[in-house]
Amino acid sequence: MPQLTPIATVVDHFDIPLSTLHYWERRGLLTTHRRGGRRCYDQDQLYRIALIKQWQTTGLMSLDEIATLLTARSSTPDWRATVTTHITAIDNRMRELETARHYLYWLLTCSRDGDLEHCPGYRASVSLPE
């Protein structure tokens, strides 16, 4: 039998509420084993939990989209298109975050007091409609 990790250990390690793990199980995202009547997870499920948490933390994917990705290779002939769509969305989001970080940098470094929209450096970095 594979090494099993009790649900309480999983909750503590991943800092995930117990109810969340139960919900993911009801949704079919996780499969548990029972030891002494208690839920336990094998190593494959632990990796799956880490992946779900990572994807959910980004806020870029709904749980339905995560479920689709988790089963895409085995159930969707065009799974690469699904994955590529998510990569594109992540790349777009990264560009948006980089731009936001850049604007905050201008706010910190601008020697001119007042609102960011009056900072000459910021103004030089923004493209306005003609």
Side-chain angles (χ1 to χ4, degrees):
M1 179 162 223
Q3 179 180 351
L4 299 176
T5 304
I7 195 168
T9 302
V10 173
V11 164
D12 290 340
H13 179 80
F14 289 107
D15 193 27
I16 297 174
L18 182 64
S19 60
T20 297
L21 290 175
H22 289 171
Y23 180 67
W24 291 353
E25 184 182 343
R26 284 192 310 275
R27 293 284 312 265
L29 299 172
L30 300 176
T31 303
T32 61
H33 299 276
R34 297 281 180 168
R35 187 183 330 157
R38 296 177 189 227
R39 287 178 171 94
C40 297
Y41 298 96
D42 62 27
Q43 191 174 40
D44 289 341
Q45 295 303 299
L46 295 176
Y47 282 114
R48 184 173 272 238
I49 291 165
L51 190 56
I52 294 167
K53 181 179 179 188
Q54 181 183 42
W55 283 345
Q56 206 170 36
T57 299
T58 67
L60 295 175
M61 288 184 256
S62 69
L63 205 52
D64 288 337
E65 291 170 315
I66 292 170
T68 299
L69 279 178
L70 289 173
T71 60
R73 287 189 76 157
S74 61
S75 66
T76 309
D78 64 341
W79 65 270
R80 289 180 192 279
T82 301
V83 172
T84 300
T85 298
H86 285 286
I87 290 171
T88 301
I90 290 169
D91 288 344
N92 291 337
R93 183 67 174 152
M94 288 172 68
R95 278 190 293 279
E96 292 168 357
L97 290 170
E98 182 65 30
T99 299
R101 185 173 68 85
H102 184 75
Y103 292 159
L104 289 172
Y105 172 77
W106 281 114
L107 182 63
L108 278 178
T109 60
C110 185
S111 60
R112 184 175 182 157
D113 287 336
D115 297 327
L116 176 60
E117 65 268 14
H118 296 123
C119 175
Y122 168 76
R123 285 182 173 216
S125 72
V126 175
S127 171
L128 296 178
E130 300 292 324

